[in-house]
Amino acid sequence: MSSLTVTGVTRSFPSTAPGRAATRAVDDVTLHVPHGSFTTVLGPSGCGKTTLLRLVAGFLQPESGSIAFGDEVVAGDGVRPMPPQTRRVGYVPQEGALFPHLDVAANIAFGLPRAARAAGGGDRVAEMLDLVELPADFRDRRPDELSGGQQQRVALARSLAPQPALVLLDEPFSSLDAGLRGSTARAVRRALQATNTTAVLVTHDQNEALSLADQVAVMRAGRLVQSAPPSEVYLSPTDPAVAEFVGRAVVLPGTADAAHATCALGEVVLTEPTEGPVSLMIRPEQVHVDLSHTAGDKVIGVRGTVEEVSYYGHDCAVQVRLDEGTSVLARMSGVLHPAAGDRVHLRVTGLVRAYHPTEAL
């Protein structure tokens, strides 16, 4: 097992339109994944995250920069690129890609030495089935006898069987339904932790990225715009665009004066003192919806009218149009909530992150 270090890596693809410049899919990306850790690469479709994964795997080569496993450079820096088959990388594609003509045992044993494959994988197959939390009698089943989640667990077992230096997962849960997706993802995470395997997961699902990872790397238009622990990415995004992509966010213009700022939602307390015009990032769960409107004779918060309520059971999203015209989103418990047309008061709880205009670009 080893760490992964990507340094200044760039990769472009020629344009299919005559006269148009090449598309830079990965643009000067630098990322470190510590040994035994789990990093999610998060971004919208087309941002370059799968290209980055394929560069690490060796399916593509960087135009500039370098890729290293531990202290060994496998691509770039003037060295001859190490071919994919010798990089000791386990790769789990989106659909699992099990061999349909082989049973589970043969699929798991596929990457083992020839003698081990000839013996049916022996104890290693049993060990891998236990690791990914599948019954031992699954070894004789065919892929078409497995559910989607079971197929993904077998695909992970196949990638872990040869004891790779690194496991790469390319949106392996995207085709599963919500409940199965969550349980399969957690089982995969437990298996990787049990073997202390360094892993990188590509996803466009914010909840998946935040709940599974030790580190979240956010990509946008080929560039890595933030890499940090999940709580830091969520609570202290580098710019408003990251804030709005990683979870939902209310971004409002305001004016800062030291530790406080004023905006359409009234006065808020800032994470760091600053001065002047700012953009304020407020998470919807920080917007408190007051249904009673007052505390004694004192009116609390800013008045508005509920436009829409999206009910999810455990909580709900409430869209409110403030009297001055701004529309804001709040999240609150699903136990007691307003209805469209209700008059409410809103106020902000907790600390708010402020961005100056140059940071908000």
Side-chain angles (χ1 to χ4, degrees):
M1 312 301 174
S2 65
S3 61
L4 165 68
T5 304
V6 176
T7 307
V9 164
T10 295
R11 172 70 193 213
S12 300
F13 294 103
S15 172
T16 55
R20 296 192 64 177
T23 300
R24 185 164 288 188
V26 173
D27 188 1
D28 193 25
V29 167
T30 294
L31 174 67
H32 179 68
V33 181
H35 164 73
S37 69
F38 191 108
T39 289
T40 54
V41 180
L42 175 65
S45 297
C47 72
K49 56 188 186 294
T50 294
T51 299
L52 177 63
L53 211 66
R54 291 174 63 80
L55 287 163
V56 173
F59 303 148
L60 298 171
Q61 300 305 323
E63 295 167 1
S64 60
S66 65
I67 299 170
F69 294 173
D71 296 328
E72 183 178 18
V73 176
V74 298
D77 275 356
V79 304
R80 184 176 181 179
M82 183 181 292
Q85 63 271 23
T86 59
R87 290 193 185 189
R88 293 185 56 234
V89 170
Y91 193 91
V92 182
Q94 194 169 46
E95 300 298 334
L98 299 180
F99 301 111
H101 62 291
L102 300 179
D103 62 18
V104 165
N107 266 283
I108 294 174
F110 182 79
L112 297 177
R114 183 177 298 177
R117 292 202 308 272
D123 293 340
R124 189 61 176 164
V125 168
E127 181 185 348
M128 290 297 99
L129 284 172
D130 182 61
L131 185 67
V132 298
E133 302 175 19
L134 288 176
D137 60 6
F138 271 44
R139 64 181 300 132
D140 298 320
R141 294 193 182 187
R142 298 279 179 172
D144 61 5
E145 297 175 308
L146 305 177
S147 69
Q150 291 165 347
Q151 290 183 33
Q152 290 304 104
R153 295 189 194 199
V154 173
L156 177 68
R158 181 179 61 187
S159 73
L160 288 174
Q163 298 181 303
L166 175 70
V167 169
L168 306 176
L169 303 107
D170 189 3
E171 301 197 58
F173 317 120
S174 61
S175 62
L176 306 180
D177 64 67
L180 187 59
R181 181 174 185 148
S183 61
T184 302
R186 289 190 295 273
V188 166
R189 181 69 172 110
R190 288 192 293 269
L192 292 168
Q193 286 178 317
T195 54
N196 198 31
T197 301
T198 309
V200 178
L201 165 71
V202 157
T203 182
H204 61 265
D205 185 295
Q206 296 93 336
N207 292 331
E208 191 170 271
L210 294 171
S211 63
L212 295 176
D214 301 308
Q215 173 181 232
V216 177
V218 184
M219 289 191 69
R220 183 171 66 225
R223 299 189 69 87
L224 185 65
V225 292
Q226 185 169 12
S227 178
S231 60
E232 184 177 335
V233 171
Y234 187 78
L235 297 174
S236 299
T238 53
D239 58 43
V242 172
E244 292 179 294
F245 181 74
V246 182
R248 304 178 76 174
V250 179
V251 179
L252 298 174
T255 302
D257 182 9
H260 296 81
T262 56
C263 64
L265 283 171
E267 186 175 84
V268 299
V269 182
L270 303 178
T271 56
E272 296 179 358
T274 190
E275 302 283 345
V278 290
S279 291
L280 301 169
M281 191 280 290
I282 304 167
R283 292 296 183 189
E285 58 269 24
Q286 290 183 263
V287 182
H288 177 74
V289 181
D290 189 349
L291 305 178
S292 62
H293 311 316
T294 63
D297 294 329
K298 183 179 179 182
V299 174
I300 302 296
V302 178
R303 190 187 296 271
T305 302
V306 176
E307 295 184 300
E308 183 179 10
V309 177
S310 299
Y311 183 71
Y312 302 108
H314 50 78
D315 70 353
C316 60
V318 182
Q319 197 75 36
V320 179
R321 176 74 61 180
L322 303 181
D323 286 357
E324 54 85 60
T326 302
S327 182
V328 300
L329 179 69
R331 292 197 80 98
M332 61 185 298
S333 169
V335 176
L336 180 64
H337 59 85
D342 284 357
R343 297 285 288 166
V344 295
H345 282 78
L346 305 182
R347 55 187 171 86
V348 176
T349 62
L351 302 178
V352 171
R353 179 73 185 267
Y355 302 90
H356 284 282
T358 54
E359 298 175 287
L361 293 178

